[in-house]
Amino acid sequence: MILSSDTAEETKQPAMSATAADAKAEHFELNNGTIRVTVTNYGATITSLYVPDKHGKVADVVLGFDSIEAYVKDNASYFGCIVGRVANRIKEGKFHLNGVDYSLPINNGPNSLHGGNKGFDKVVWDVVEQKDGEQPSITFKYESHDGEEGYPGDVIVTATYTLTSSKTLRLDMEAVPKNKTTPINLAHHTYWNLAGHSSGNVLEHLVQISGSQITPVDKNSIPTGELLPVKGTAFDFTSEKKVGSSIREVPGLGYDHNYVLDSGENKEGLKHVAKVKDPSSSRVLNLWTDAPGVQFYTANYVNGVPGKGGAVYEKHSGLCLETQGFPNAINQPNFPSIVVVPGDKYKHSMLFEFSEE
């Protein structure tokens, strides 16, 4: 079993920016003989993930870049990273907590998105543990300070990627506020294309989402506070259907909506989120989590992005399944709370299970 690290220089990648280089942004590999995952401590990001198809042909099924420098300079699409302190949108970048009004950077129309201008995806995490063996793993740690991007209190965050079996990857995220009550809502933002990252759009992928309701949004993509049943609408993925079958009926450029996850099938203490299948390769991804929601996003704003190996990523070239708390939950008292007090611990796990059928 292999777990290795290499700097940008050693892999003959372009020189990193001073900020990234000073903090030692590196690549690491987890390999169990069936799945091979490359991650970087810049943003705790998955940069590649190789899995076989039904014929044993291996392909990299996540969108990304060849060099760390490209993530530093170009990752406006949040390829593969962990976003926080609060994922998704906060209305007008404002919230009120414990008698204090907080203002966050505005970086998405009138809203604050994915932690602000320099969220957890744009910092270098420390590598605190690496394990080899049958279940290779790596643990990243980041300490977010009081006032960082407008958020209150110091928070220690860890993220552990583990190959738990021959065809499963598990991500366990934890966050502990040290001295102030604060909102915390982490999400993992990989773009999946099970046909291979450079194979075009995912409109033929078959998707089933274990959510019978969404949180509908206003013109600025902020939830209205309502819960809308998906039955009979373009948002209905309760049964397997093609991504592209109803996408033109969705207001805007495509899917970018939070699904309320149903309590149903369970695995390792996690509930089923979604099943994704690429008909061309027969690769299947089943996703499990303990989060209350999942943002289903179809790469609507990806447009001519230069990716790995000379690939150019266009609209709908991948899909994201970002398990998380509900968007703007800090301002919606009827949504599950994302507020964490000192002495408590935020936990969020995801299990990615690969197969062929």
PDB file of all heavy atoms in Angstrom, residues 160 162 164 168-173 210 261-274 286-292 323 347-353:
ATOM      1  N   THR A 160     -10.009  13.864   7.394  1.00  0.00           N
ATOM      2  CA  THR A 160      -9.284  12.612   7.181  1.00  0.00           C
ATOM      3  C   THR A 160      -9.867  11.862   5.997  1.00  0.00           C
ATOM      4  O   THR A 160     -11.063  11.545   5.975  1.00  0.00           O
ATOM      5  CB  THR A 160      -9.356  11.711   8.428  1.00  0.00           C
ATOM      6  OG1 THR A 160      -8.779  12.406   9.541  1.00  0.00           O
ATOM      7  CG2 THR A 160      -8.591  10.410   8.197  1.00  0.00           C
ATOM      8  N   THR A 162      -9.713   8.328   4.003  1.00  0.00           N
ATOM      9  CA  THR A 162      -9.315   6.951   4.244  1.00  0.00           C
ATOM     10  C   THR A 162      -9.884   6.047   3.157  1.00  0.00           C
ATOM     11  O   THR A 162     -11.078   6.125   2.840  1.00  0.00           O
ATOM     12  CB  THR A 162      -9.835   6.442   5.603  1.00  0.00           C
ATOM     13  OG1 THR A 162      -9.461   7.351   6.637  1.00  0.00           O
ATOM     14  CG2 THR A 162      -9.283   5.058   5.915  1.00  0.00           C
ATOM     15  N   THR A 164     -11.232   2.885   2.934  1.00  0.00           N
ATOM     16  CA  THR A 164     -11.696   1.936   3.946  1.00  0.00           C
ATOM     17  C   THR A 164     -11.861   0.519   3.420  1.00  0.00           C
ATOM     18  O   THR A 164     -11.930  -0.426   4.191  1.00  0.00           O
ATOM     19  CB  THR A 164     -13.029   2.409   4.555  1.00  0.00           C
ATOM     20  OG1 THR A 164     -13.977   2.615   3.510  1.00  0.00           O
ATOM     21  CG2 THR A 164     -12.843   3.696   5.333  1.00  0.00           C
ATOM     22  N   THR A 168     -13.938   1.810  -1.594  1.00  0.00           N
ATOM     23  CA  THR A 168     -14.595   2.892  -0.859  1.00  0.00           C
ATOM     24  C   THR A 168     -13.575   3.903  -0.334  1.00  0.00           C
ATOM     25  O   THR A 168     -12.503   3.535   0.157  1.00  0.00           O
ATOM     26  CB  THR A 168     -15.421   2.368   0.328  1.00  0.00           C
ATOM     27  OG1 THR A 168     -14.584   1.593   1.183  1.00  0.00           O
ATOM     28  CG2 THR A 168     -16.597   1.540  -0.137  1.00  0.00           C
ATOM     29  N   LEU A 169     -13.977   5.173  -0.428  1.00  0.00           N
ATOM     30  CA  LEU A 169     -13.225   6.290   0.139  1.00  0.00           C
ATOM     31  C   LEU A 169     -14.110   6.959   1.174  1.00  0.00           C
ATOM     32  O   LEU A 169     -15.270   7.268   0.889  1.00  0.00           O
ATOM     33  CB  LEU A 169     -12.842   7.290  -0.956  1.00  0.00           C
ATOM     34  CG  LEU A 169     -12.281   8.634  -0.472  1.00  0.00           C
ATOM     35  CD1 LEU A 169     -10.903   8.441   0.167  1.00  0.00           C
ATOM     36  CD2 LEU A 169     -12.197   9.631  -1.626  1.00  0.00           C
ATOM     37  N   ARG A 170     -13.579   7.170   2.346  1.00  0.00           N
ATOM     38  CA  ARG A 170     -14.334   7.847   3.404  1.00  0.00           C
ATOM     39  C   ARG A 170     -13.658   9.173   3.748  1.00  0.00           C
ATOM     40  O   ARG A 170     -12.425   9.258   3.790  1.00  0.00           O
ATOM     41  CB  ARG A 170     -14.432   6.973   4.651  1.00  0.00           C
ATOM     42  CG  ARG A 170     -15.297   7.580   5.747  1.00  0.00           C
ATOM     43  CD  ARG A 170     -15.461   6.645   6.934  1.00  0.00           C
ATOM     44  NE  ARG A 170     -16.189   7.321   8.015  1.00  0.00           N
ATOM     45  CZ  ARG A 170     -17.346   6.919   8.513  1.00  0.00           C
ATOM     46  NH1 ARG A 170     -17.934   5.830   8.034  1.00  0.00           N
ATOM     47  NH2 ARG A 170     -17.930   7.584   9.500  1.00  0.00           N
ATOM     48  N   LEU A 171     -14.484  10.193   3.963  1.00  0.00           N
ATOM     49  CA  LEU A 171     -14.001  11.496   4.416  1.00  0.00           C
ATOM     50  C   LEU A 171     -14.693  11.821   5.735  1.00  0.00           C
ATOM     51  O   LEU A 171     -15.923  11.849   5.806  1.00  0.00           O
ATOM     52  CB  LEU A 171     -14.303  12.584   3.380  1.00  0.00           C
ATOM     53  CG  LEU A 171     -14.072  14.034   3.808  1.00  0.00           C
ATOM     54  CD1 LEU A 171     -12.623  14.277   4.230  1.00  0.00           C
ATOM     55  CD2 LEU A 171     -14.470  14.999   2.684  1.00  0.00           C
ATOM     56  N   ASP A 172     -13.886  12.048   6.769  1.00  0.00           N
ATOM     57  CA  ASP A 172     -14.404  12.450   8.077  1.00  0.00           C
ATOM     58  C   ASP A 172     -13.891  13.848   8.397  1.00  0.00           C
ATOM     59  O   ASP A 172     -12.671  14.074   8.468  1.00  0.00           O
ATOM     60  CB  ASP A 172     -13.949  11.470   9.164  1.00  0.00           C
ATOM     61  CG  ASP A 172     -14.551  10.094   8.995  1.00  0.00           C
ATOM     62  OD1 ASP A 172     -15.782   9.976   9.113  1.00  0.00           O
ATOM     63  OD2 ASP A 172     -13.782   9.143   8.726  1.00  0.00           O
ATOM     64  N   MET A 173     -14.817  14.774   8.600  1.00  0.00           N
ATOM     65  CA  MET A 173     -14.476  16.154   8.929  1.00  0.00           C
ATOM     66  C   MET A 173     -14.954  16.478  10.335  1.00  0.00           C
ATOM     67  O   MET A 173     -16.060  16.107  10.728  1.00  0.00           O
ATOM     68  CB  MET A 173     -15.119  17.119   7.919  1.00  0.00           C
ATOM     69  CG  MET A 173     -14.629  16.932   6.497  1.00  0.00           C
ATOM     70  SD  MET A 173     -15.431  18.037   5.294  1.00  0.00           S
ATOM     71  CE  MET A 173     -16.980  17.175   5.020  1.00  0.00           C
ATOM     72  N   SER A 210     -31.680  10.608  -2.833  1.00  0.00           N
ATOM     73  CA  SER A 210     -32.572  10.171  -1.759  1.00  0.00           C
ATOM     74  C   SER A 210     -33.140  11.380  -1.012  1.00  0.00           C
ATOM     75  O   SER A 210     -32.975  11.534   0.202  1.00  0.00           O
ATOM     76  CB  SER A 210     -31.820   9.248  -0.801  1.00  0.00           C
ATOM     77  OG  SER A 210     -31.366   8.103  -1.483  1.00  0.00           O
ATOM     78  N   LEU A 261     -32.410  15.452   2.691  1.00  0.00           N
ATOM     79  CA  LEU A 261     -32.201  14.008   2.612  1.00  0.00           C
ATOM     80  C   LEU A 261     -33.205  13.254   3.478  1.00  0.00           C
ATOM     81  O   LEU A 261     -33.468  13.614   4.626  1.00  0.00           O
ATOM     82  CB  LEU A 261     -30.767  13.660   3.038  1.00  0.00           C
ATOM     83  CG  LEU A 261     -29.685  14.152   2.068  1.00  0.00           C
ATOM     84  CD1 LEU A 261     -28.300  13.892   2.636  1.00  0.00           C
ATOM     85  CD2 LEU A 261     -29.841  13.496   0.697  1.00  0.00           C
ATOM     86  N   ASP A 262     -33.769  12.204   2.884  1.00  0.00           N
ATOM     87  CA  ASP A 262     -34.727  11.361   3.591  1.00  0.00           C
ATOM     88  C   ASP A 262     -33.990  10.369   4.479  1.00  0.00           C
ATOM     89  O   ASP A 262     -32.839  10.012   4.221  1.00  0.00           O
ATOM     90  CB  ASP A 262     -35.600  10.589   2.596  1.00  0.00           C
ATOM     91  CG  ASP A 262     -36.394  11.513   1.674  1.00  0.00           C
ATOM     92  OD1 ASP A 262     -36.761  12.610   2.128  1.00  0.00           O
ATOM     93  OD2 ASP A 262     -36.638  11.123   0.511  1.00  0.00           O
ATOM     94  N   SER A 263     -34.669   9.919   5.513  1.00  0.00           N
ATOM     95  CA  SER A 263     -34.125   8.849   6.357  1.00  0.00           C
ATOM     96  C   SER A 263     -34.507   7.527   5.711  1.00  0.00           C
ATOM     97  O   SER A 263     -35.680   7.195   5.608  1.00  0.00           O
ATOM     98  CB  SER A 263     -34.698   8.934   7.766  1.00  0.00           C
ATOM     99  OG  SER A 263     -34.314  10.139   8.382  1.00  0.00           O
ATOM    100  N   GLY A 264     -33.508   6.812   5.259  1.00  0.00           N
ATOM    101  CA  GLY A 264     -33.790   5.559   4.562  1.00  0.00           C
ATOM    102  C   GLY A 264     -32.675   4.570   4.782  1.00  0.00           C
ATOM    103  O   GLY A 264     -32.259   4.315   5.914  1.00  0.00           O
ATOM    104  N   GLU A 265     -32.173   4.040   3.682  1.00  0.00           N
ATOM    105  CA  GLU A 265     -31.101   3.049   3.736  1.00  0.00           C
ATOM    106  C   GLU A 265     -29.892   3.602   4.468  1.00  0.00           C
ATOM    107  O   GLU A 265     -29.542   4.771   4.327  1.00  0.00           O
ATOM    108  CB  GLU A 265     -30.729   2.668   2.300  1.00  0.00           C
ATOM    109  CG  GLU A 265     -29.893   1.415   2.187  1.00  0.00           C
ATOM    110  CD  GLU A 265     -29.591   1.064   0.739  1.00  0.00           C
ATOM    111  OE1 GLU A 265     -30.183   1.688  -0.159  1.00  0.00           O
ATOM    112  OE2 GLU A 265     -28.755   0.163   0.524  1.00  0.00           O
ATOM    113  N   ASN A 266     -29.235   2.748   5.266  1.00  0.00           N
ATOM    114  CA  ASN A 266     -28.154   3.177   6.141  1.00  0.00           C
ATOM    115  C   ASN A 266     -26.930   2.289   5.945  1.00  0.00           C
ATOM    116  O   ASN A 266     -27.060   1.089   5.724  1.00  0.00           O
ATOM    117  CB  ASN A 266     -28.642   3.114   7.594  1.00  0.00           C
ATOM    118  CG  ASN A 266     -27.712   3.813   8.556  1.00  0.00           C
ATOM    119  OD1 ASN A 266     -26.678   3.273   8.932  1.00  0.00           O
ATOM    120  ND2 ASN A 266     -28.101   5.014   8.962  1.00  0.00           N
ATOM    121  N   LYS A 267     -25.752   2.903   6.026  1.00  0.00           N
ATOM    122  CA  LYS A 267     -24.503   2.137   5.943  1.00  0.00           C
ATOM    123  C   LYS A 267     -23.459   2.813   6.827  1.00  0.00           C
ATOM    124  O   LYS A 267     -23.210   4.011   6.704  1.00  0.00           O
ATOM    125  CB  LYS A 267     -24.005   2.075   4.491  1.00  0.00           C
ATOM    126  CG  LYS A 267     -22.668   1.351   4.339  1.00  0.00           C
ATOM    127  CD  LYS A 267     -22.326   1.066   2.894  1.00  0.00           C
ATOM    128  CE  LYS A 267     -23.209  -0.014   2.320  1.00  0.00           C
ATOM    129  NZ  LYS A 267     -22.693  -0.525   1.029  1.00  0.00           N
ATOM    130  N   GLU A 268     -22.884   2.045   7.742  1.00  0.00           N
ATOM    131  CA  GLU A 268     -21.866   2.551   8.669  1.00  0.00           C
ATOM    132  C   GLU A 268     -22.350   3.790   9.416  1.00  0.00           C
ATOM    133  O   GLU A 268     -21.590   4.727   9.668  1.00  0.00           O
ATOM    134  CB  GLU A 268     -20.557   2.844   7.920  1.00  0.00           C
ATOM    135  CG  GLU A 268     -19.915   1.616   7.302  1.00  0.00           C
ATOM    136  CD  GLU A 268     -18.602   1.907   6.603  1.00  0.00           C
ATOM    137  OE1 GLU A 268     -17.939   2.905   6.957  1.00  0.00           O
ATOM    138  OE2 GLU A 268     -18.247   1.140   5.698  1.00  0.00           O
ATOM    139  N   GLY A 269     -23.634   3.814   9.758  1.00  0.00           N
ATOM    140  CA  GLY A 269     -24.189   4.949  10.473  1.00  0.00           C
ATOM    141  C   GLY A 269     -24.498   6.149   9.606  1.00  0.00           C
ATOM    142  O   GLY A 269     -24.873   7.207  10.113  1.00  0.00           O
ATOM    143  N   LEU A 270     -24.372   5.992   8.297  1.00  0.00           N
ATOM    144  CA  LEU A 270     -24.609   7.088   7.353  1.00  0.00           C
ATOM    145  C   LEU A 270     -25.802   6.762   6.465  1.00  0.00           C
ATOM    146  O   LEU A 270     -26.030   5.604   6.122  1.00  0.00           O
ATOM    147  CB  LEU A 270     -23.365   7.317   6.486  1.00  0.00           C
ATOM    148  CG  LEU A 270     -22.041   7.495   7.233  1.00  0.00           C
ATOM    149  CD1 LEU A 270     -20.897   7.642   6.239  1.00  0.00           C
ATOM    150  CD2 LEU A 270     -22.093   8.693   8.168  1.00  0.00           C
ATOM    151  N   LYS A 271     -26.551   7.789   6.077  1.00  0.00           N
ATOM    152  CA  LYS A 271     -27.724   7.570   5.223  1.00  0.00           C
ATOM    153  C   LYS A 271     -27.358   7.757   3.757  1.00  0.00           C
ATOM    154  O   LYS A 271     -26.441   8.510   3.414  1.00  0.00           O
ATOM    155  CB  LYS A 271     -28.860   8.512   5.628  1.00  0.00           C
ATOM    156  CG  LYS A 271     -28.518   9.976   5.578  1.00  0.00           C
ATOM    157  CD  LYS A 271     -29.611  10.794   6.245  1.00  0.00           C
ATOM    158  CE  LYS A 271     -29.178  12.245   6.404  1.00  0.00           C
ATOM    159  NZ  LYS A 271     -30.157  13.048   7.177  1.00  0.00           N
ATOM    160  N   HIS A 272     -28.122   7.078   2.904  1.00  0.00           N
ATOM    161  CA  HIS A 272     -27.846   7.152   1.472  1.00  0.00           C
ATOM    162  C   HIS A 272     -28.193   8.525   0.936  1.00  0.00           C
ATOM    163  O   HIS A 272     -29.240   9.088   1.245  1.00  0.00           O
ATOM    164  CB  HIS A 272     -28.648   6.088   0.728  1.00  0.00           C
ATOM    165  CG  HIS A 272     -28.277   5.954  -0.713  1.00  0.00           C
ATOM    166  ND1 HIS A 272     -29.071   6.410  -1.739  1.00  0.00           N
ATOM    167  CD2 HIS A 272     -27.161   5.443  -1.299  1.00  0.00           C
ATOM    168  CE1 HIS A 272     -28.467   6.165  -2.900  1.00  0.00           C
ATOM    169  NE2 HIS A 272     -27.319   5.573  -2.658  1.00  0.00           N
ATOM    170  N   VAL A 273     -27.292   9.075   0.121  1.00  0.00           N
ATOM    171  CA  VAL A 273     -27.482  10.400  -0.478  1.00  0.00           C
ATOM    172  C   VAL A 273     -27.901  10.278  -1.936  1.00  0.00           C
ATOM    173  O   VAL A 273     -28.922  10.822  -2.353  1.00  0.00           O
ATOM    174  CB  VAL A 273     -26.176  11.226  -0.405  1.00  0.00           C
ATOM    175  CG1 VAL A 273     -26.356  12.577  -1.093  1.00  0.00           C
ATOM    176  CG2 VAL A 273     -25.731  11.401   1.035  1.00  0.00           C
ATOM    177  N   ALA A 274     -27.084   9.567  -2.705  1.00  0.00           N
ATOM    178  CA  ALA A 274     -27.308   9.527  -4.144  1.00  0.00           C
ATOM    179  C   ALA A 274     -26.579   8.352  -4.770  1.00  0.00           C
ATOM    180  O   ALA A 274     -25.592   7.839  -4.233  1.00  0.00           O
ATOM    181  CB  ALA A 274     -26.828  10.826  -4.788  1.00  0.00           C
ATOM    182  N   ASN A 286     -22.008   5.400  -5.271  1.00  0.00           N
ATOM    183  CA  ASN A 286     -23.030   5.591  -4.238  1.00  0.00           C
ATOM    184  C   ASN A 286     -22.419   6.422  -3.121  1.00  0.00           C
ATOM    185  O   ASN A 286     -21.282   6.164  -2.677  1.00  0.00           O
ATOM    186  CB  ASN A 286     -23.523   4.258  -3.687  1.00  0.00           C
ATOM    187  CG  ASN A 286     -24.645   3.666  -4.520  1.00  0.00           C
ATOM    188  OD1 ASN A 286     -25.790   4.097  -4.433  1.00  0.00           O
ATOM    189  ND2 ASN A 286     -24.299   2.682  -5.358  1.00  0.00           N
ATOM    190  N   LEU A 287     -23.167   7.422  -2.679  1.00  0.00           N
ATOM    191  CA  LEU A 287     -22.688   8.356  -1.662  1.00  0.00           C
ATOM    192  C   LEU A 287     -23.558   8.250  -0.419  1.00  0.00           C
ATOM    193  O   LEU A 287     -24.782   8.159  -0.512  1.00  0.00           O
ATOM    194  CB  LEU A 287     -22.732   9.785  -2.227  1.00  0.00           C
ATOM    195  CG  LEU A 287     -22.400  10.930  -1.270  1.00  0.00           C
ATOM    196  CD1 LEU A 287     -20.990  10.802  -0.715  1.00  0.00           C
ATOM    197  CD2 LEU A 287     -22.564  12.277  -1.999  1.00  0.00           C
ATOM    198  N   TRP A 288     -22.893   8.299   0.756  1.00  0.00           N
ATOM    199  CA  TRP A 288     -23.565   8.205   2.055  1.00  0.00           C
ATOM    200  C   TRP A 288     -23.059   9.332   2.948  1.00  0.00           C
ATOM    201  O   TRP A 288     -21.914   9.761   2.819  1.00  0.00           O
ATOM    202  CB  TRP A 288     -23.268   6.855   2.719  1.00  0.00           C
ATOM    203  CG  TRP A 288     -23.454   5.673   1.815  1.00  0.00           C
ATOM    204  CD1 TRP A 288     -22.625   5.254   0.804  1.00  0.00           C
ATOM    205  CD2 TRP A 288     -24.556   4.763   1.820  1.00  0.00           C
ATOM    206  NE1 TRP A 288     -23.141   4.141   0.185  1.00  0.00           N
ATOM    207  CE2 TRP A 288     -24.327   3.818   0.786  1.00  0.00           C
ATOM    208  CE3 TRP A 288     -25.710   4.643   2.588  1.00  0.00           C
ATOM    209  CZ2 TRP A 288     -25.202   2.781   0.513  1.00  0.00           C
ATOM    210  CZ3 TRP A 288     -26.589   3.604   2.325  1.00  0.00           C
ATOM    211  CH2 TRP A 288     -26.329   2.681   1.299  1.00  0.00           C
ATOM    212  N   THR A 289     -23.899   9.811   3.886  1.00  0.00           N
ATOM    213  CA  THR A 289     -23.475  10.907   4.760  1.00  0.00           C
ATOM    214  C   THR A 289     -24.318  10.931   6.030  1.00  0.00           C
ATOM    215  O   THR A 289     -25.348  10.257   6.137  1.00  0.00           O
ATOM    216  CB  THR A 289     -23.607  12.269   4.048  1.00  0.00           C
ATOM    217  OG1 THR A 289     -22.927  13.275   4.794  1.00  0.00           O
ATOM    218  CG2 THR A 289     -25.073  12.693   3.930  1.00  0.00           C
ATOM    219  N   ASP A 290     -23.887  11.761   6.997  1.00  0.00           N
ATOM    220  CA  ASP A 290     -24.694  12.054   8.181  1.00  0.00           C
ATOM    221  C   ASP A 290     -25.183  13.500   8.169  1.00  0.00           C
ATOM    222  O   ASP A 290     -25.745  13.973   9.168  1.00  0.00           O
ATOM    223  CB  ASP A 290     -23.911  11.759   9.461  1.00  0.00           C
ATOM    224  CG  ASP A 290     -22.546  12.440   9.507  1.00  0.00           C
ATOM    225  OD1 ASP A 290     -22.219  13.192   8.563  1.00  0.00           O
ATOM    226  OD2 ASP A 290     -21.807  12.218  10.485  1.00  0.00           O
ATOM    227  N   ALA A 291     -24.974  14.217   7.058  1.00  0.00           N
ATOM    228  CA  ALA A 291     -25.449  15.597   6.942  1.00  0.00           C
ATOM    229  C   ALA A 291     -26.935  15.617   6.579  1.00  0.00           C
ATOM    230  O   ALA A 291     -27.457  14.654   6.012  1.00  0.00           O
ATOM    231  CB  ALA A 291     -24.636  16.344   5.885  1.00  0.00           C
ATOM    232  N   PRO A 292     -27.634  16.729   6.854  1.00  0.00           N
ATOM    233  CA  PRO A 292     -29.076  16.771   6.577  1.00  0.00           C
ATOM    234  C   PRO A 292     -29.442  17.061   5.129  1.00  0.00           C
ATOM    235  O   PRO A 292     -30.569  16.803   4.713  1.00  0.00           O
ATOM    236  CB  PRO A 292     -29.573  17.900   7.481  1.00  0.00           C
ATOM    237  CG  PRO A 292     -28.401  18.799   7.654  1.00  0.00           C
ATOM    238  CD  PRO A 292     -27.201  17.895   7.653  1.00  0.00           C
ATOM    239  N   THR A 323     -22.681  17.274   0.338  1.00  0.00           N
ATOM    240  CA  THR A 323     -23.463  17.058   1.548  1.00  0.00           C
ATOM    241  C   THR A 323     -23.094  18.129   2.564  1.00  0.00           C
ATOM    242  O   THR A 323     -21.934  18.496   2.716  1.00  0.00           O
ATOM    243  CB  THR A 323     -23.246  15.652   2.125  1.00  0.00           C
ATOM    244  OG1 THR A 323     -21.894  15.516   2.568  1.00  0.00           O
ATOM    245  CG2 THR A 323     -23.557  14.591   1.085  1.00  0.00           C
ATOM    246  N   LYS A 347     -19.265  17.401  13.473  1.00  0.00           N
ATOM    247  CA  LYS A 347     -18.808  16.202  12.768  1.00  0.00           C
ATOM    248  C   LYS A 347     -19.591  16.044  11.474  1.00  0.00           C
ATOM    249  O   LYS A 347     -20.795  16.318  11.433  1.00  0.00           O
ATOM    250  CB  LYS A 347     -18.994  14.954  13.639  1.00  0.00           C
ATOM    251  CG  LYS A 347     -18.073  14.871  14.848  1.00  0.00           C
ATOM    252  CD  LYS A 347     -18.240  13.536  15.549  1.00  0.00           C
ATOM    253  CE  LYS A 347     -17.250  13.368  16.683  1.00  0.00           C
ATOM    254  NZ  LYS A 347     -17.358  12.025  17.316  1.00  0.00           N
ATOM    255  N   HIS A 348     -18.923  15.592  10.450  1.00  0.00           N
ATOM    256  CA  HIS A 348     -19.549  15.420   9.131  1.00  0.00           C
ATOM    257  C   HIS A 348     -18.743  14.363   8.381  1.00  0.00           C
ATOM    258  O   HIS A 348     -17.540  14.523   8.155  1.00  0.00           O
ATOM    259  CB  HIS A 348     -19.528  16.759   8.384  1.00  0.00           C
ATOM    260  CG  HIS A 348     -20.114  16.718   7.011  1.00  0.00           C
ATOM    261  ND1 HIS A 348     -20.116  17.833   6.189  1.00  0.00           N
ATOM    262  CD2 HIS A 348     -20.711  15.739   6.288  1.00  0.00           C
ATOM    263  CE1 HIS A 348     -20.686  17.538   5.042  1.00  0.00           C
ATOM    264  NE2 HIS A 348     -21.051  16.257   5.079  1.00  0.00           N
ATOM    265  N   SER A 349     -19.402  13.273   8.012  1.00  0.00           N
ATOM    266  CA  SER A 349     -18.738  12.181   7.301  1.00  0.00           C
ATOM    267  C   SER A 349     -19.395  11.908   5.958  1.00  0.00           C
ATOM    268  O   SER A 349     -20.597  12.118   5.794  1.00  0.00           O
ATOM    269  CB  SER A 349     -18.750  10.902   8.140  1.00  0.00           C
ATOM    270  OG  SER A 349     -17.986  11.072   9.329  1.00  0.00           O
ATOM    271  N   MET A 350     -18.594  11.433   5.029  1.00  0.00           N
ATOM    272  CA  MET A 350     -19.067  11.038   3.703  1.00  0.00           C
ATOM    273  C   MET A 350     -18.388   9.716   3.333  1.00  0.00           C
ATOM    274  O   MET A 350     -17.208   9.524   3.605  1.00  0.00           O
ATOM    275  CB  MET A 350     -18.710  12.095   2.650  1.00  0.00           C
ATOM    276  CG  MET A 350     -19.168  13.503   2.977  1.00  0.00           C
ATOM    277  SD  MET A 350     -18.626  14.716   1.730  1.00  0.00           S
ATOM    278  CE  MET A 350     -19.718  14.305   0.369  1.00  0.00           C
ATOM    279  N   LEU A 351     -19.156   8.837   2.694  1.00  0.00           N
ATOM    280  CA  LEU A 351     -18.612   7.576   2.210  1.00  0.00           C
ATOM    281  C   LEU A 351     -18.901   7.474   0.712  1.00  0.00           C
ATOM    282  O   LEU A 351     -20.052   7.545   0.282  1.00  0.00           O
ATOM    283  CB  LEU A 351     -19.262   6.402   2.946  1.00  0.00           C
ATOM    284  CG  LEU A 351     -18.688   5.011   2.659  1.00  0.00           C
ATOM    285  CD1 LEU A 351     -17.282   4.874   3.215  1.00  0.00           C
ATOM    286  CD2 LEU A 351     -19.601   3.943   3.241  1.00  0.00           C
ATOM    287  N   PHE A 352     -17.827   7.359  -0.073  1.00  0.00           N
ATOM    288  CA  PHE A 352     -17.930   7.224  -1.530  1.00  0.00           C
ATOM    289  C   PHE A 352     -17.675   5.767  -1.890  1.00  0.00           C
ATOM    290  O   PHE A 352     -16.567   5.265  -1.705  1.00  0.00           O
ATOM    291  CB  PHE A 352     -16.908   8.129  -2.219  1.00  0.00           C
ATOM    292  CG  PHE A 352     -16.971   9.569  -1.804  1.00  0.00           C
ATOM    293  CD1 PHE A 352     -16.203  10.026  -0.735  1.00  0.00           C
ATOM    294  CD2 PHE A 352     -17.790  10.474  -2.466  1.00  0.00           C
ATOM    295  CE1 PHE A 352     -16.244  11.357  -0.354  1.00  0.00           C
ATOM    296  CE2 PHE A 352     -17.851  11.809  -2.091  1.00  0.00           C
ATOM    297  CZ  PHE A 352     -17.085  12.249  -1.021  1.00  0.00           C
ATOM    298  N   GLU A 353     -18.693   5.130  -2.415  1.00  0.00           N
ATOM    299  CA  GLU A 353     -18.614   3.693  -2.717  1.00  0.00           C
ATOM    300  C   GLU A 353     -18.696   3.489  -4.226  1.00  0.00           C
ATOM    301  O   GLU A 353     -19.694   3.833  -4.857  1.00  0.00           O
ATOM    302  CB  GLU A 353     -19.775   2.979  -2.014  1.00  0.00           C
ATOM    303  CG  GLU A 353     -19.793   1.472  -2.176  1.00  0.00           C
ATOM    304  CD  GLU A 353     -20.995   0.859  -1.459  1.00  0.00           C
ATOM    305  OE1 GLU A 353     -22.111   1.397  -1.582  1.00  0.00           O
ATOM    306  OE2 GLU A 353     -20.788  -0.155  -0.784  1.00  0.00           O
TER     307      GLU A 353
END
